[in-house]
């Protein structure tokens, strides 16, 4: 056990060492240093032999010269001495000369090849015969007892006899010279390499520092929204390109077109900090994000079935601020403070909800009447006749004014950013502008805007357009709806329209008309804690008593005539008629939240759906199986997501829809990349989710065919379609939607400040 622990520890250390070594080897500084060392060694390897040869040659010439000089200076003396006493005086002469530290020995080779008069240090290995002496002077190098000896042999031609004078030099001094020269070569190459290296490092550091400074300036300019000086950092490698790239990225950020920007609550928060520091954000909508109701079980909290709420709530959680809305819950008054405010979400408060109370008469006229019997059918063109009543219009005006007063009460400064939501508040932007002229009003119209002819039937069309043009920015889901609005304004109002920039100027005030496709939070909060799809399916199968192998189609929405619920049910009828083999297998579950039930068109739809479902179930059902299941009640988000995850297909067949967030929620719920989305071409979402099976809900036969196709779609195709749609929804999420509007608002605020400053 211990041994294996040690072995493991050893392995861990070894791995850590090799990791450290790899890291070191990857370090560019280390690499350059190694390269420098290798280069220096190569230079040395080239220089040292050359230096050695030069020094050796020089030493040899030196010794030869000295030997020759010596020979010349003593040759007469030798001749005289040899003549005088048979050379007897030569030995003392040679001994004296050999006292020179470099001269090792002297001697004479006579003509018989015998060495005579040699000094004591004459090495035994030196013999006259071995030297191969000739008529001319000769030089040679010998090795004796690991010493190198230079031998100079000079011809003696005197009357006393021939022979050769041998002058032996110890070459130890030459070897010492070579060693010293080698040492100096190595030292000087190393010194030069070190010096050059240090100089290069110093220069590189100075260069990098200056590039970094330039880059910082460029980035800081980008961050503070100033124009980037593209000549900055021009001396850097790719400096201009980098500066231009940052500018592009900033442009993308400003337009929120950058698909590389992953928009998240954090990014949105940062955007507010950087682009709109100190800004006060107020949101106004009719529907509140949290409804407190009194029930038998006490006070309960409800999340309304509303695309607007699903989109804006996460944005408010990220940004903070105040959301002003109609307090419609039966226990709403009991849960607010003295200023009609409550911090939400209750579990983790992030922003304030200010509730506005409306009387029944106000609700009837403003909400049910003008908003939902007038503007809703007018804008949706779902062949329900719009109804315009004078008293509804009056209530609509009065309630808009009440909300305008609430905004003034809530505003802590005179220039808040007010995000006005939807068709309930067409008059509000102008009213805010009159009360808070410095406010930035961003209005978003969540439903379609019809063509000019259709809109023209509204008796108060001018007032509505005028009210909306109090906005700084007016947003729609699609460019098509923006164009319809421009057309309507062109047709009915005395205004200046700049189509290139997409703006309308009315009474000296300019409003930008922009498209901002709304979306959902990513990842959706309702996905957290969801069981795997098989378990969701098992739960749904058990809840509705379905066969284990049932094919499940679902539809989720408010019970609204614009959603095409009847058309969908008719398509199921058609499919079961033409493909009876699906009987007992296919079930369509419709989760429908009752909505605006006070209105005849809504209660009629609900009644008609129940009747038609009963008829179809009687026609195709049996043995305890019904092909149509209606779940008519409010569904909380986690229930909706469970249904989505259990489904083989989700049908969104709106007859007309601004966007439709159910389609996006279905896609977001399917992290298993399965399931098929059938989507109406008349929903704004079809512009983005083109990998869905796009249908015309008025064409029953083709809808039935789409459902059949969805049920038979291979898993690989489902995955490919779902992946593309998920990418789309992830990137173009609701944080991006909010960011686009806020960035545009920030830009306009800056522009306005510049204009005001230049005028004062
Ligand atoms: O965009 C239309 C909308 O305001 C959405 O928020 C939502 O789908 C629906 O209408 C909500 O309706 P209500 O608030 O009347 O229930």
């Amino acid at each position: 056990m211990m041994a294996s622990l040690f072995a493991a520890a050893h392995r861990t250390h070894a791995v850590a060492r090799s990791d450290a070594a790899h890291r070191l080897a990857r370090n560019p500084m280390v690499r350059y240093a190694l390269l420098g060392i290798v280069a220096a060694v190569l230079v040395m390897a080239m220089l040292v032999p050359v230096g050695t040869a030069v020094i050796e040659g020089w030493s040899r010439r030196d010794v030869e010269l000295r030997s020759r000089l010596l020979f010349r200076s003593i040759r007469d003396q030798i001749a005289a001495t040899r003549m005088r006493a048979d050379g007897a005086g030569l030995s003392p002469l040679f001994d004296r000369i050999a006292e020179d530290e470099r001269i090792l020995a002297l001697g004479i080779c006579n003509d018989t090849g015998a060495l005579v008069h040699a000094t004591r240090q004459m090495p035994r290995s030196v013999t006259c015969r071995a030297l191969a002496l000739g008529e001319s002077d000769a030089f040679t190098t010998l090795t004796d007892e690991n010493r190198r000896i230079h031998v100079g042999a000079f011809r003696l031609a005197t009357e006393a006899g021939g022979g050769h004078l041998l002058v032996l030099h110890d070459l130890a001094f030459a070897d010492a010279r070579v060693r010293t020269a080698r040492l100096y070569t190595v030292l000087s190459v190393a010194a030069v390499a070190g010096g050059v290296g240090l100089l290069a490092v110093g220069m590189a550091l100075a260069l990098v520092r200056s590039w970094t400074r330039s880059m910082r300036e460029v980035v800081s300019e980008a961050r503070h929204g100033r124009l980037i000086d593209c000549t900055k950092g021009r001396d850097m490698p790719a400096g201009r390109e980098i500066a231009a790239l940052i500018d592009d990225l900033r442009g993308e950020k400003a337009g929120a077109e950058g698909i590389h920007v992953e928009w998240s609550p954090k990014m949105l928060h940062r955007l507010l900090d950087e682009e709109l520091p100190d800004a006060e954000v107020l949101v106004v909508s009719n529907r509140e994000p949290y409804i407190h109701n009194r029930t038998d079980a006490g006070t309960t909290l409800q999340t309304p079935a509303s695309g607007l709420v699903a989109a804006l709530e996460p944005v408010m959680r990220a940004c903070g601020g105040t959301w002003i809305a109609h307090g419609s819950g039966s226990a709403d008054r009991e849960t607010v403070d003295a200023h009609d405010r409550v911090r939400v979400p209750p579990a983790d408060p992030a922003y304030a909800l200010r509730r506005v109370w409306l009387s029944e008469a106000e609700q009837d006229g403003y909400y049910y009447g003008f908003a939902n019997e007038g503007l809703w059918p007018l804008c949706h063109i779902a062949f329900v006749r719009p109804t315009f009543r004078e008293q509804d219009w009056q209530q609509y005006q009065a309630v808009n004014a009440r909300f305008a007063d609430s905004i003034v009460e809530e505003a802590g400064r005179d220039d808040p950013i007010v995000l006005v939501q939807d068709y309930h508040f067409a008059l509000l932007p102008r009213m805010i502008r009159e009360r808070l002229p410095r406010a930035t009003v961003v209005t978003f119209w969540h439903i379609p805007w019809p063509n000019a002819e259709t809109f023209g039937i509204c008796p108060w069309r001018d007032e509505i357009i005028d009210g909306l043009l109090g906005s700084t920015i007016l947003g729609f889901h699609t460019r098509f709806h923006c164009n319809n609005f421009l057309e309507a304004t062109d047709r009915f109002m005395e205004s200046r329209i700049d189509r290139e920039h997409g703006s309308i100027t009315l009474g000296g005030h300019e409003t930008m008309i922009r498209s901002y496709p709304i979306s959902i939070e990513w990842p959706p909060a309702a996905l957290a804690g969801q069981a795997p799809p098989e378990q969701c399916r098992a739960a749904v199968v058990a809840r509705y008593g379905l066969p284990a192998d049932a094919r499940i189609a679902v539809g989720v929405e408010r019970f609204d005539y614009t959603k095409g619920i009847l058309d969908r049910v008719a398509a199921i009828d058609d499919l079961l008629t033409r493909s009876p083999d699906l009987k007992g297998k296919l079930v369509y579950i419709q989760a429908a939240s009752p909505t605006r039930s006070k209105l005849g068109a809504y209660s009629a739809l609900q009644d008609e759906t129940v009747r038609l479902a009963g008829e179809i179930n009687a026609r195709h059902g049996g043995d305890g199986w019904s092909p149509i299941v209606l779940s008519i009640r409010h569904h909380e988000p986690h229930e909706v997501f469970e249904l989505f995850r259990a489904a083989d297909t989700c049908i969104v067949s709106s007859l007309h829809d601004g966007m439709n967030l159910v389609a996006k929620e279905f896609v977001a719920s399917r992290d298993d990349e399965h399931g098929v989305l059938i989507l109406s071409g008349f929903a704004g979402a079809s512009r983005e989710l083109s990998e869905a099976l796009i249908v015309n809900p008025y064409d029953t036969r083709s809808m039935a065919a789409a459902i059949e196709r969805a049920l038979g779609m291979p898993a690989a195709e489902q995955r490919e379609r779902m992946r593309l749609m998920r990418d789309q929804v992830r990137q173009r999420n609701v944080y991006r939607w909010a960011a686009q509007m806020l960035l545009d608002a920030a830009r306009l605020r800056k522009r306005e400040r510049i204009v005001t400053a230049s005028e004062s």
Side-chain angles (χ1 to χ4, degrees):
M1 169 76 171
M2 287 302 281
S4 65
L5 277 178
F6 277 132
H10 183 75
R11 270 199 306 278
T12 314
H13 276 127
V15 169
R17 269 203 311 276
S18 90
D19 274 352
H22 272 115
R23 268 201 305 280
L24 205 63
R26 276 203 304 270
N27 184 323
M29 287 306 273
V30 172
R31 280 209 218 140
Y32 289 133
L34 285 174
L35 210 68
I37 291 170
V38 169
V41 168
L42 281 177
V43 170
M44 284 176 204
M46 273 162 34
L47 281 186
V48 166
V50 173
T52 305
V54 168
I55 304 269
E56 285 223 341
W58 166 41
S59 300
R60 196 172 12 86
R61 280 194 302 280
D62 193 2
V63 169
E64 284 174 10
L65 194 66
R66 280 171 59 99
S67 303
R68 210 181 290 280
L69 278 174
L70 178 68
F71 167 65
R72 281 187 192 143
S73 61
I74 65 170
R75 72 177 159 197
D76 294 341
Q77 231 176 320
I78 293 170
T81 309
R82 286 177 91 181
M83 292 274 293
R84 249 196 343 258
D86 198 27
L90 280 176
S91 292
L93 173 67
F94 283 5
D95 286 342
R96 235 184 8 261
I97 294 170
E99 280 170 12
D100 186 306
E101 57 174 2
R102 289 195 193 165
I103 296 178
L104 179 67
L106 287 109
I108 291 178
C109 286
N110 63 21
D111 283 336
T112 60
L115 184 63
V116 295
H117 306 296
T119 55
R120 269 192 313 280
Q121 284 84 5
M122 180 64 73
R124 288 223 187 104
S125 58
V126 178
T127 59
C128 297
R129 286 184 211 291
L131 290 170
L133 302 168
E135 279 306 305
S136 55
D137 300 345
F139 301 98
T140 183
T141 303
L142 305 171
T143 305
D144 176 71
E145 292 177 354
N146 295 329
R147 282 185 309 180
R148 288 193 318 125
I149 296 165
H150 181 270
V151 181
F154 302 95
R155 179 83 183 128
L156 293 168
T158 64
E159 291 164 22
H164 289 82
L165 171 67
L166 301 186
V167 180
L168 276 65
H169 273 88
D170 187 345
L171 285 180
F173 85 95
D175 291 340
R177 245 186 215 173
V178 167
R179 276 198 302 278
T180 310
R182 270 188 200 149
L183 179 69
Y184 282 128
T185 309
V186 169
L187 285 179
S188 29
V189 169
V192 169
V196 169
L198 280 177
L199 200 70
V201 167
M203 281 170 63
L205 282 178
L207 218 57
V208 166
R209 214 164 271 162
S210 103
W211 290 345
T212 312
R213 208 175 29 249
S214 301
M215 275 313 288
R216 279 217 186 99
E217 279 170 22
V218 167
V219 171
S220 144
E221 281 174 358
R223 174 177 292 160
H224 292 98
R226 289 192 291 269
L227 268 179
I228 289 180
D229 176 5
C230 273
T231 60
K232 276 217 174 89
R234 63 182 177 273
D235 298 322
M236 293 182 267
R240 281 167 193 271
E241 288 89 323
I242 292 170
L245 189 64
I246 291 175
D247 215 0
D248 279 351
L249 281 174
R250 197 184 58 181
E252 283 183 21
K253 183 179 157 205
E257 290 298 335
I259 54 165
H260 298 301
V261 178
E262 291 282 331
W263 285 103
S264 63
K266 213 158 119 196
M267 281 286 288
L268 191 57
H269 202 91
R270 219 166 78 194
L271 181 150
L272 274 178
D273 280 353
E274 287 178 8
E275 302 292 332
L276 292 161
D278 308 325
E280 182 184 32
V281 178
L282 301 172
V283 167
V284 196
S285 74
N286 172 70
R287 186 61 65 200
E288 58 181 339
Y290 293 96
I291 304 174
H292 286 99
N293 281 322
R294 211 176 307 112
T295 65
D296 295 342
T299 302
T300 57
L301 191 70
Q302 185 190 326
T303 316
S306 158
L308 179 155
V309 168
L312 267 172
E313 210 281 330
V315 171
M316 282 304 276
R317 262 189 276 131
C319 300
T322 303
W323 187 332
I324 304 166
H326 170 214
S328 57
S330 51
D332 272 356
R333 283 179 195 266
E334 296 150 29
T335 42
V336 292
D337 64 15
H339 303 284
D340 298 326
R341 292 186 200 126
V342 55
R343 300 275 308 163
V344 288
D348 182 18
Y351 61 96
L353 169 60
R354 158 75 195 275
R355 284 171 171 153
V356 175
W357 315 114
L358 298 179
S359 68
E360 208 166 321
E362 282 173 325
Q363 286 184 60
D364 283 348
Y366 137 85
Y367 174 73
Y368 287 108
F370 191 71
N372 285 317
E373 283 192 292
L375 289 177
W376 182 270
L378 175 75
C379 291
H380 277 93
I381 322 178
F383 308 103
V384 169
R385 190 185 192 281
T387 305
F388 298 109
R389 300 182 200 92
E390 176 67 31
Q391 65 272 30
D392 291 348
W393 171 241
Q394 279 165 10
Q395 288 291 9
Y396 188 84
Q397 289 171 292
V399 171
N400 270 245
R402 287 202 46 206
F403 273 82
D405 293 341
S406 304
I407 291 164
V408 175
E409 279 164 34
E410 289 302 321
R413 40 192 300 164
D414 67 348
D415 63 348
I417 296 182
V418 190
L419 305 178
V420 177
Q421 306 300 311
D422 231 348
Y423 61 100
H424 309 91
F425 295 119
L427 306 179
L428 194 51
R430 170 78 55 213
M431 292 173 173
I432 300 170
R433 180 126 338 272
E434 281 160 5
R435 288 163 171 79
L436 297 169
R438 295 192 62 231
T440 302
V441 183
V442 183
T443 304
F444 193 78
W445 194 261
H446 288 254
I447 60 176
W449 188 276
N451 60 48
E453 284 78 23
T454 305
F455 187 73
I457 67 171
C458 176
W460 301 286
R461 62 188 188 200
D462 297 2
E463 287 87 338
I464 286 170
I465 293 175
D466 177 80
L468 288 169
L469 290 178
S471 311
T472 315
I473 301 171
L474 172 58
F476 296 92
H477 292 298
T478 64
R479 195 62 242 162
F480 181 67
H481 297 149
C482 291
N483 292 342
N484 279 350
F485 183 82
L486 291 171
E487 283 311 316
T489 308
D490 199 14
R491 179 86 56 96
F492 305 120
M493 309 295 285
E494 280 292 327
S495 61
R496 184 154 51 80
I497 297 181
D498 181 339
R499 288 178 196 273
E500 201 183 334
H501 293 106
S503 78
I504 301 174
T505 304
L506 183 72
H509 172 75
E510 187 179 26
T511 301
M512 313 304 298
I513 313 297
R514 293 277 181 277
S515 66
Y516 305 102
I518 204 169
S519 194
I520 56 169
E521 65 179 324
W522 188 280
L527 196 57
Q530 285 288 337
E534 320 77 74
Q535 283 179 35
C536 291
R537 185 185 156 80
V540 169
V541 161
R543 184 170 316 129
Y544 295 107
L546 308 176
D549 62 346
R551 308 305 309 275
I552 302 175
V554 299
V556 177
E557 48 255 305
R558 292 179 305 104
F559 229 135
D560 196 297
Y561 54 79
T562 59
K563 302 296 179 186
I565 296 173
L566 283 174
D567 309 80
R568 208 177 304 166
V569 172
I572 298 281
D573 184 19
D574 185 72
L575 178 58
L576 291 175
T577 307
R578 289 188 304 108
S579 306
D581 52 307
L582 282 172
K583 288 186 188 183
K585 289 187 192 140
L586 172 63
V587 64
Y588 172 68
I589 304 173
Q590 173 70 61
S593 310
T595 178
R596 308 170 191 170
S597 315
K598 246 187 173 183
L599 303 180
Y602 287 81
S603 51
L605 169 75
Q606 196 164 322
D607 293 347
E608 176 60 7
T609 308
V610 172
R611 191 199 59 73
L612 185 61
E615 200 181 296
I616 295 169
N617 284 341
R619 190 156 46 244
H620 302 293
D623 295 334
W625 174 74
S626 306
I628 312 277
V629 176
L630 295 180
S631 177
I632 306 174
R633 61 174 175 84
H634 175 74
H635 297 77
E636 284 296 329
H638 70 270
E639 293 180 88
V640 171
F641 268 62
E642 183 186 62
L643 204 54
F644 284 152
R645 286 163 72 76
D648 293 298
T649 178
C650 173
I651 311 174
V652 175
S653 56
S654 311
L655 303 179
H656 201 181
D657 222 329
M659 174 55 69
N660 194 296
L661 294 183
V662 168
K664 294 188 174 181
E665 283 175 343
F666 173 66
V667 166
S669 79
R670 298 311 296 256
D671 51 3
D672 61 337
E673 298 175 346
H674 276 81
V676 181
L677 175 65
I678 297 174
L679 178 58
S680 164
F682 307 129
S686 64
R687 309 283 198 284
E688 292 174 275
L689 304 179
S690 42
E691 292 76 25
L693 298 184
I694 305 294
V695 291
N696 172 3
Y698 292 95
D699 183 348
T700 309
R701 184 56 51 95
S702 75
M703 273 248 282
I707 299 169
E708 194 168 22
R709 184 165 169 217
L711 295 176
M713 188 181 286
E717 186 181 345
Q718 290 184 34
R719 188 172 305 116
E720 271 179 25
R721 288 172 181 268
M722 192 53 91
R723 262 189 204 158
L724 288 169
M725 290 192 286
R726 284 175 64 78
D727 274 354
Q728 178 81 357
V729 179
R730 193 190 72 242
Q731 284 167 7
R732 298 167 72 99
N733 60 31
V734 77
Y735 303 112
R736 177 182 179 273
W737 172 75
Q740 281 185 311
M741 288 191 291
L742 290 172
L743 275 167
D744 284 350
R747 197 164 45 82
L748 292 175
R749 270 162 94 93
K750 280 178 199 155
R751 198 170 79 180
E752 206 167 291
R753 272 181 203 150
I754 295 167
V755 172
T756 314
S758 68
E759 283 170 358
S760 61

